């Protein structure tokens, strides 16, 4: 399996974990309010918990959309440039900056200093950022943060967004190496820029291998996500509701897949 | 990376404009120019204090010419504007880095020596 495919699977596993749990929270809230009318203490508690998760997801979404807008509005763009086949927006400054921002139509931003440095290093960085742009990683990160913020008290979700960001960076690094056919330019960029995550260095120098999520686990997780989505639809459209215990058991495969997905990443503080 | 120059407050900006408009300026040159276009005159000591502060901030350089102090700008107007805009981008990336963008080097801390060495060797093409 190629590096990028393995990382994509890992990302899918994380997404499934987040989606499963968020859907469950919605189902539990609907179940408690709609089917039990908040009659028993248990259902009141479940209803409140579910509503809290949904409210926090909404707040996180609003906060992030505002931050996106404010950031892009305040960012001074000097001009657009075409470098090594990609279109980049140039921001002022002699320092080294390269990032991808924007949700629906993300763009790559590069500082004048980074552009002036040029060479294979810049090509490696642009290939990395171009991968973020094509895959709309800022949007993926936003989704991961919504799920993480909504479910934050639960341990597996505390670092969900950071892990998603780490996986996205590893995949972008792999794409960069593939595009240039050489690891040296990216290594050189790492050395120059300094502030890269240790797991990216380990992956680049070959100290760690791509995580492998077994196909069976991934298929099972996808099936459960589909089943839960169907369940939510049935509850809303038809007059039927399940036992809560069944719902909780359903998250297990997704949790297993997510654990495997993040196993090779360093624990994030 | 060098430390970006600090932002200019109102009077500082007016004084820098006067210094940038000429190659070198004394406190008296700047004072006369400011007072020529301002309805409220400034005191000599006020302008002198601010110019000394700008010297302390590294924006002006003081040179002795006989018995007078002559000030020259440490950076040209363009260089200053460029450096400030760069600092602004850096500050924005720091402020919004957690929520609004995927940054190439998003970690503040530097790599440990072992990983730096591995990277250096790989970058060298070994």
């Amino acid at each position: 399996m190629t590096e990028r495919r393995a990382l994509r699977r890992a990302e899918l596993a994380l997404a499934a974990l987040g989606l499963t749990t968020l859907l469950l929270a919605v189902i539990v809230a609907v179940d408690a309010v709609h089917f039990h009318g908040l009659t028993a203490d248990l259902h009141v508690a479940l209803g409140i918990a579910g509503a809290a998760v949904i409210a926090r997801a909404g707040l996180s979404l609003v906060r992030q959309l505002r931050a996106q807008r404010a950031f892009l509005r305040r960012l001074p763009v000097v001009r657009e440039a075409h470098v090594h086949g990609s279109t980049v927006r140039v921001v002022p400054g002699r320092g080294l900056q390269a990032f991808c921002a924007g949700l629906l139509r993300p763009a790559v931003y590069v500082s004048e200093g980074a552009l002036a440095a040029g060479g294979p290093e810049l090509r490696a960085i642009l290939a990395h950022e171009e991968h973020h742009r094509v895959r709309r990683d800022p949007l993926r990160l936003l989704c991961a943060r919504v799920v993480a913020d909504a479910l934050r008290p639960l341990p597996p979700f505390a670092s969900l967004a950071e892990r998603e960001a780490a996986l996205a960076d590893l995949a972008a690094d792999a794409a960069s190496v593939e595009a240039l056919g050489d690891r040296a330019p990216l290594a050189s960029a790492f050395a120059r820029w300094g502030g890269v995550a240790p797991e990216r260095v380990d992956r680049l120098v070959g100290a760690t291998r791509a995580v492998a999520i077994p196909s069976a686990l991934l298929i099972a997780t996808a099936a459960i996500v589909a089943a839960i989505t169907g369940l939510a639809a049935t509850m809303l459209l038809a007059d039927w509701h399940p036992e809560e215990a069944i719902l909780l058991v359903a998250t297990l495969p997704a949790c297993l897949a997510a654990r495997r997905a993040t196993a090779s990443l360093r624990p994030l503080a | 990376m060098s430390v970006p120059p600090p932002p200019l407050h109102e009077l500082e900006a007016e004084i820098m404009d006067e210094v940038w408009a000429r190659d070198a300026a004394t406190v008296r040159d700047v004072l006369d120019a400011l007072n020529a276009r301002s309805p409220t005159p400034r005191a000599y000591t006020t302008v002198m204090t601010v110019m000394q502060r700008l010297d302390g901030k590294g924006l002006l350089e003081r040179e002795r010419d006989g018995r007078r102090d002559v000030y020259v700008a440490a950076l040209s107007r363009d260089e200053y504007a460029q450096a400030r805009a760069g600092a602004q981008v850096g500050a924005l990336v720091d402020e919004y880095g957690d929520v609004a963008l995927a940054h190439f080097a998003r970690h503040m801390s530097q790599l440990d020596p072992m990983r730096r060495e591995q990277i250096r060797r790989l970058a060298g093409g070994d």
Side-chain angles (χ1 to χ4, degrees), chain A residues 67-68 70-71 74 92-93 97-100 112 129 145 166 169 183-184 187-188 191 193-198 200-202, chain B residues 1 79 82 85-86 88-90 92-93 95-96 98-107 109-111 115 118-119 122-123:
Chain A
Q68 277 280 338
F71 176 70
R74 290 172 62 188
Q97 297 278 2
F99 51 87
C100 177
E112 285 172 321
E129 294 303 329
R145 282 194 198 99
D169 269 339
R183 292 183 300 166
S188 172
W193 294 50
V196 295
R200 288 172 67 187
V201 175
D202 294 347
Chain B
M1 207 188 308
E79 284 169 343
Q82 167 88 9
Q88 191 195 345
V89 171
L92 281 173
V93 168
E95 186 180 345
Y96 292 98
D98 286 344
V99 284
L101 58 134
H103 193 228
F104 179 72
R106 65 195 163 88
H107 285 246
S109 59
Q110 294 289 306
L111 289 168
R115 287 194 173 86
Q118 285 176 324
I119 281 298
L122 185 58

Side-chain angles (χ1 to χ4, degrees), chain A residues 21-26 47-59 146-147 149-154:
Chain A
T21 322
L22 211 54
L23 274 171
L24 279 173
V26 174
I48 290 172
V53 167
I54 296 164
R56 288 173 70 162
L59 280 176
V146 166
V147 175
D149 289 341
L151 305 167
R152 196 168 291 283
L154 304 174

Side-chain angles (χ1 to χ4, degrees), chain A residues 20-227:
Chain A
T20 308
T21 322
L22 211 54
L23 274 171
L24 279 173
V26 174
I27 290 176
V28 166
V30 169
D31 183 61
V33 177
H34 184 67
F35 290 98
H36 298 279
L38 298 177
T39 42
D41 285 351
L42 171 71
H43 294 119
V44 172
L46 286 174
I48 290 172
V53 167
I54 296 164
R56 288 173 70 162
L59 280 176
S60 169
L61 183 65
V62 169
R63 187 177 62 88
Q64 289 192 70
L65 289 176
R66 278 202 188 135
Q68 277 280 338
R69 257 208 310 274
F71 176 70
L72 293 177
R73 200 180 51 230
R74 290 172 62 188
L75 194 65
V77 176
V78 184
R79 61 190 153 90
E80 278 201 347
H82 301 277
V83 203
H84 302 305
S86 35
T87 302
V88 297
R89 292 186 183 164
V90 184
V91 292
R94 268 177 268 170
L96 301 173
Q97 297 278 2
F99 51 87
C100 177
L103 295 175
L104 296 178
R105 277 179 297 168
V108 174
Y109 296 79
V110 182
S111 68
E112 285 172 321
L115 213 53
E121 242 175 59
L122 179 66
R123 276 190 66 197
I125 289 166
L126 288 179
H128 172 106
E129 294 303 329
E130 191 61 18
H131 187 262
H132 281 318
R133 188 187 71 78
V134 169
R135 299 193 65 230
R136 292 200 175 87
D137 278 335
L139 183 63
R140 285 167 199 261
L141 276 172
L142 177 132
C143 296
R145 282 194 198 99
V146 166
V147 175
D149 289 341
L151 305 167
R152 196 168 291 283
L154 304 174
F157 303 100
S159 59
L160 185 83
E162 287 78 9
R163 290 184 188 284
E164 165 60 23
L167 283 173
D169 269 339
L170 289 176
D173 285 347
S176 172
V177 170
E178 208 170 282
L180 271 77
D182 186 4
R183 292 183 300 166
L186 192 62
S188 172
F190 280 5
R192 255 312 256 286
W193 294 50
V196 295
E199 69 261 14
R200 288 172 67 187
V201 175
D202 294 347
R203 191 59 57 89
L204 187 67
V205 300
T208 52
R209 291 200 3 251
V211 280
I213 307 287
S215 298
L217 198 55
L218 209 60
I219 291 166
T221 309
I224 282 165
V225 170

